[in-house]
Amino acid sequence: DAKTTQPTSMDCAEGRAANLPCNHSTISGNEYVYWYRQIHSQGPQYIIHGLKNNETNEMASLIITEDRKSSTLILPHATLRDTAVYYCIVRVAHNAGNMLTFGGGTRLMVKP
Amino acid sequence: DAGVIQSPRHEVTEMGQEVTLRCKPISGHNSLFWYRQTMMRGLELLIYFNNNVPIDDSGMPEDRFSAKMPNASFSTLKIQPSEPRDSAVYFCASSPGQDTQYFGPGTRLTVL
């Protein structure tokens, strides 16, 4: 699976959009971009994933560049409860096991 | 839906003792994963099962670690004998086999 690069930490004001970048310049054509987050003392939580089109769900939006070498997770109106470590993971989706390789992630601090 | 259930939530034991961690996956999910998280190494995949069969145990650190999945609704991770360096949070996750992994709350293990 391709390696990802994320900033170590970011701050965001409550109520503002949080834009979390991820570089994955070695991504292959059949690899998806996944985002998970881990709130303190909890297990990781799935947020969103995509292949090449932008995706949106009730939690966030995922913007993938046309060359697929980078992406941005957008939390449109960040709240204090969005303070967490956000992991960008690139992997091939297949049926027999969906292994996730977690990097260091971005520690997002949402401030009042 | 109760989500992934792990027990115990906290375990404190002495070096040399046997430790058994338990996991009940979400009903209907056919893949199960065991992860370990430490400050130094982050989140690491230890082993995963598909349809109760171990598929990849390359992440299991050594022979002191063993995992079983006797049926679709139960899995154990055993450490025998335990050592202080095994202290970590152990997460179990399950997946319906396609995209998303659902993580349990974790077991915090402390080996004295």
Side-chain angles (χ1 to χ4, degrees):
Chain A
D1 293 337
K3 180 180 173 60
T4 62
T5 304
Q6 300 177 252
T8 303
S9 63
M10 293 182 62
D11 290 344
C12 177
E14 187 180 20
R16 304 297 294 270
N19 298 286
L20 293 94
C22 180
N23 287 323
H24 31 79
S25 58
T26 61
I27 192 170
S28 300
N30 61 346
E31 288 182 314
Y32 288 70
V33 180
Y34 284 77
W35 284 84
Y36 280 73
R37 74 178 181 183
Q38 187 173 22
I39 296 171
H40 182 62
S41 298
Q42 297 183 21
Q45 175 190 26
Y46 167 81
I47 301 173
I48 198 168
H49 76 282
L51 182 61
K52 54 183 178 181
N53 296 324
N54 298 336
E55 302 288 345
T56 296
N57 63 20
E58 65 279 3
M59 290 183 68
S61 294
L62 174 60
I63 307 299
I64 302 174
T65 58
E66 192 168 342
D67 63 8
R68 303 207 324 121
K69 292 184 177 182
S70 65
S71 61
T72 301
L73 178 74
I74 301 173
L75 308 178
H77 306 286
T79 70
L80 299 180
R81 289 178 296 179
D82 291 323
T83 292
V85 178
Y86 288 77
Y87 297 98
C88 170
I89 300 165
V90 173
R91 56 169 292 275
V92 177
H94 52 87
N95 292 332
N98 303 296
M99 293 190 292
L100 298 172
T101 302
F102 288 83
T106 296
R107 186 172 297 276
L108 176 68
M109 179 73 71
V110 181
K111 298 184 176 180
Chain B
D1 187 351
V4 175
I5 299 172
Q6 291 187 247
S7 64
R9 293 295 310 277
H10 302 273
E11 176 81 22
V12 180
T13 190
E14 293 187 345
M15 183 174 64
Q17 297 297 307
E18 176 182 301
V19 174
T20 300
L21 311 181
R22 297 173 177 80
C23 175
K24 178 179 170 57
I26 295 172
S27 177
H29 285 192
N30 61 354
S31 294
L32 183 140
F33 308 80
W34 282 100
Y35 291 85
R36 177 174 67 176
Q37 185 171 35
T38 62
M39 289 292 292
M40 291 295 293
R41 301 174 66 90
L43 263 166
E44 303 173 282
L45 177 68
L46 300 177
I47 185 172
Y48 80 88
F49 295 83
N50 191 53
N51 293 323
N52 310 339
V53 176
I55 303 299
D56 187 343
D57 65 354
S58 59
M60 296 285 263
E62 49 196 273
D63 292 345
R64 296 185 298 106
F65 286 68
S66 63
K68 294 183 180 180
M69 192 165 186
N71 57 62
S73 59
F74 184 66
S75 176
T76 59
L77 178 67
K78 184 178 292 186
I79 308 173
Q80 180 183 21
S82 59
E83 297 182 2
R85 59 190 169 128
D86 301 330
S87 297
V89 181
Y90 291 81
F91 289 103
C92 175
S94 70
S95 169
Q98 295 295 325
D99 297 319
T100 304
Q101 291 187 20
Y102 298 84
F103 285 75
T107 295
R108 182 173 296 276
L109 173 65
T110 302
V111 183
L112 303 174

